[in-house]
Amino acid sequence: MTRAAHLRTERLTRSFGRLVAVSGVDLEVVPGELRSIIGPNGAGKSTLFKLISGEIAPTAGRVFLDGEEVTGLPQFAASRRGIAKSYQITTVFPQLTVFENVRIAAQCRVTVLDCWSRADRLDGVADAARDILRLVELDAKAGELAASIGHGLQRHLEIGIALACRPRLLLLDEPTAGMSPEETERTIALIKRIATGRTVILVEHKMKVVMEISDRITVLHQGSVLAEGTPDEIRGDRRVQAVYLGTGARAAAARARQPLAVP
């Protein structure tokens, strides 16, 4: 029996003047799925995320979450319906502690119009923040300033802040950007943990990460969906190979008479 889509877009389009950044994108993601969005620079990946999260409104098309239309809702309203997003560039409060960063996000989920009230007057906020810090393995850093913990851990903190919003749909925009191989491996393990019981969509450039963690992959090219499928299907898709590897690699593979593989 086919599961109903948790997230669905219909002909989603966004233009900036004459530039069409996202063009007629149809996307369906089922509950609990871990979906990766890949594509060359300028393919429309980050713009698609902004459309889903309510950061910008579409020029045309529609967005549905659990069957409810959320097209063009402002970001705060999309967040209240269960959509949370992390960003390409780390966005934390550097002069607050790791705990305070997550606690404020958890508090805002409870008191939408008053994020700066005393947290000890709100039942469960501090406990929720501590639970999230354990999940993202930052509990030992709770009392340290966010500015002092290093780039990789700051990225994990940002994911913790997003989780404090209690999302049903979590959007991760290049979560391993700028990370060392060791930090990337820890982040892969973290994404696998947080994907349990929730829907996660990520934009990612590192093919090792994409192929290891994805249930399905959507490939964007010039604002449109080029291909969609399982990691094995995408790995063997010659259109994807052409977009990522170019004519020189295709010619070399033809000479060797063997199929290309997405790196």
Side-chain angles (χ1 to χ4, degrees):
M1 182 177 180
T2 303
R3 288 182 290 174
H6 181 38
L7 172 75
R8 176 166 56 90
T9 70
E10 294 180 353
R11 307 299 298 165
L12 198 60
T13 300
R14 173 67 194 209
S15 299
F16 298 94
R18 294 183 178 181
L19 172 66
V20 182
V22 172
S23 179
V25 169
D26 293 326
L27 186 68
E28 287 197 7
V29 181
V30 299
E33 182 180 343
L34 203 164
R35 174 72 65 94
S36 289
I37 310 292
I38 66 172
N41 289 333
K45 305 180 298 296
S46 293
T47 301
L48 177 61
F49 260 24
K50 290 177 180 179
L51 293 169
I52 293 170
S53 66
E55 194 171 342
I56 59 175
T59 305
R62 306 167 80 188
V63 182
F64 296 86
L65 185 68
D66 287 330
E68 177 189 6
E69 185 167 6
V70 295
T71 309
L73 285 182
Q75 200 164 12
F76 75 87
S79 176
R80 295 296 292 177
R81 284 163 173 78
I83 301 175
K85 177 189 170 190
S86 74
Y87 290 83
Q88 286 181 359
I89 300 172
T90 304
T91 52
V92 299
F93 294 110
Q95 298 308 313
L96 296 181
T97 67
V98 168
F99 172 78
E100 288 167 337
N101 269 270
V102 177
R103 190 267 297 167
I104 288 170
Q107 185 170 339
C108 286
R109 190 69 175 87
V110 176
T111 58
V112 178
L113 299 178
D114 186 7
C115 294
W116 303 100
S117 294
R118 287 174 57 95
D120 56 10
R121 296 176 181 173
L122 299 171
D123 291 340
V125 167
D127 288 340
R130 282 188 282 267
D131 287 344
I132 290 167
L133 289 179
R134 281 191 289 271
L135 177 62
V136 299
E137 297 184 341
L138 285 174
D139 45 319
K141 303 285 187 180
E144 298 184 23
L145 292 181
S148 72
I149 64 172
H151 173 71
L153 294 182
Q154 285 180 354
R155 297 293 285 177
H156 287 202
L157 175 57
E158 187 176 35
I159 292 173
I161 291 169
L163 291 173
C165 297
R166 304 178 195 171
R168 292 179 290 153
L169 172 62
L170 179 61
L171 308 175
L172 302 177
D173 199 352
E174 298 192 33
T176 68
M179 290 188 180
S180 69
E182 294 77 13
E183 290 172 330
T184 297
E185 288 297 329
R186 288 196 293 270
T187 303
I188 288 173
L190 171 60
I191 293 171
K192 288 179 177 178
R193 285 199 305 276
I194 65 177
T196 302
R198 64 173 54 86
T199 307
V200 177
I201 308 177
L202 70 150
V203 165
E204 182 56 64
H205 283 289
K206 296 178 182 176
M207 289 297 100
K208 179 182 183 298
V209 175
V210 170
M211 294 298 172
E212 182 172 340
I213 68 176
S214 305
D215 295 319
R216 292 182 67 80
I217 300 168
T218 298
V219 185
L220 293 184
H221 182 52
Q222 297 179 346
S224 299
V225 175
L226 174 70
E228 187 172 290
T230 65
D232 284 343
E233 290 168 342
I234 295 302
R235 187 181 287 111
D237 191 306
R238 288 192 173 274
R239 295 170 300 169
V240 178
Q241 295 165 4
V243 165
Y244 270 93
L245 299 179
T247 56
R250 293 202 307 275
R255 286 194 299 271
R257 294 186 178 180
Q258 60 184 19
L260 291 169
V262 175

